[in-house]
Amino acid sequence: SVVATALSKRRKRIHLDRYAVVAALRDLAADFFFRAAEVVINLPSQIVLFRTFHLAPSFFKGKNLQKDITAFLQRQNLPFKLEDCYWNSFITGTDLNLVAAKKDAVDRHIASVEGAGFRVSGVCVSLIALYNVLIHTYPERFKDRFSLLHIKTASSDLVIYDSGRLWTYPLGAGSRNLHETREAIAEFGAQVQRVFSAHYLQNPPAQGS
């Protein structure tokens, strides 16, 4: 299915003005409201690289921070070259967070949506969008530890957040798998547990959390 939402900001709060759930893009194109608007599309987590680098505080005090960030990322052992990607970074505390996706994969998604008659003005990662909604709605959670499990039809996404640090993990099973057998449900739970175990082996919780 395809889900579309129209959001607006009024008095520092985000409001849901309109939404639609349809079977295919061509059905959404029949809705003039959405077809006439510029849209931002979600990218599936499976095509997105999210990586966090813990750096010394002095790194962020350079005169040309963006140039330093680019040079640092180019020296890392990434699975692809930055010049082949659309990418962006954001800073949480002393962590540098990279979000990147291959240009050809992103362009295919944009072409599919624009081919149905829409105007795409930007892209975002669904997991980051969910995190933004939670933190914007509950800013008091910014210093907490929590996780978000987003179960989709054919796959799922897991967000782990720990006091200003953020990680995302794609999972290879979705709701349709969970309807098959009890064993499938047990395997899904085991997969989530393996991700948590591997994550906390590499990223122990902060002291006192």
Side-chain angles (χ1 to χ4, degrees):
S1 61
V2 177
V3 179
T5 60
L7 307 175
S8 64
K9 187 175 183 179
R10 301 193 296 271
R11 297 180 180 178
K12 298 183 179 181
R13 291 185 176 274
I14 301 298
H15 294 264
L16 175 63
D17 290 338
R18 187 184 180 105
Y19 74 92
V21 181
V22 296
L25 272 174
R26 64 178 178 273
D27 300 319
L28 187 65
D31 187 324
F32 180 77
F33 177 88
F34 287 108
R35 183 161 183 160
E38 292 189 359
V39 300
V40 176
I41 62 174
N42 277 340
L43 297 176
S45 301
Q46 286 74 14
I47 72 167
V48 176
L49 172 70
F50 184 95
R51 189 161 295 181
T52 298
F53 303 92
H54 188 62
L55 302 173
S58 58
F59 176 87
F60 302 99
K61 297 179 180 180
K63 294 182 179 180
N64 194 335
L65 182 57
Q66 187 56 50
K67 183 178 179 180
D68 293 342
I69 288 173
T70 303
F72 170 81
L73 292 173
Q74 289 174 335
R75 296 194 300 269
Q76 304 311 303
N77 185 27
L78 300 176
F80 37 63
K81 296 181 180 179
L82 283 182
E83 54 264 33
D84 295 332
C85 301
Y86 297 115
W87 65 276
N88 207 338
S89 62
F90 62 96
I91 298 167
T92 52
T94 57
D95 289 333
L96 174 66
N97 304 280
L98 169 68
V99 183
K102 297 286 288 292
K103 290 180 179 178
D104 56 353
V106 176
D107 289 343
R108 282 196 301 272
H109 281 80
I110 292 176
S112 175
V113 175
E114 291 187 337
F118 297 92
R119 291 175 292 155
V120 177
S121 61
V123 299
C124 66
V125 184
S126 57
L127 278 179
I128 304 299
L130 288 174
Y131 162 79
N132 285 341
V133 168
L134 185 88
I135 288 298
H136 183 90
T137 308
Y138 305 103
E140 67 274 10
R141 300 296 303 273
F142 185 75
K143 296 182 179 180
D144 291 351
R145 289 173 59 198
F146 60 80
S147 61
L148 296 173
L149 180 59
H150 182 206
I151 301 177
K152 299 176 291 185
T153 302
S155 62
S156 302
D157 301 321
L158 178 65
V159 173
I160 298 177
Y161 179 85
D162 186 355
S163 306
R165 303 186 70 187
L166 181 69
W167 297 265
T168 69
Y169 299 97
L171 304 174
S175 59
R176 72 181 179 197
N177 304 100
L178 304 183
H179 293 153
E180 294 174 353
T181 62
R182 291 186 178 181
E183 288 76 13
I185 297 176
E187 172 53 31
F188 180 75
Q191 184 181 2
V192 173
Q193 185 58 56
R194 286 194 296 270
V195 171
F196 272 111
S197 298
H199 169 80
Y200 283 112
L201 278 174
Q202 300 177 32
N203 308 278
Q207 291 293 328
S209 63

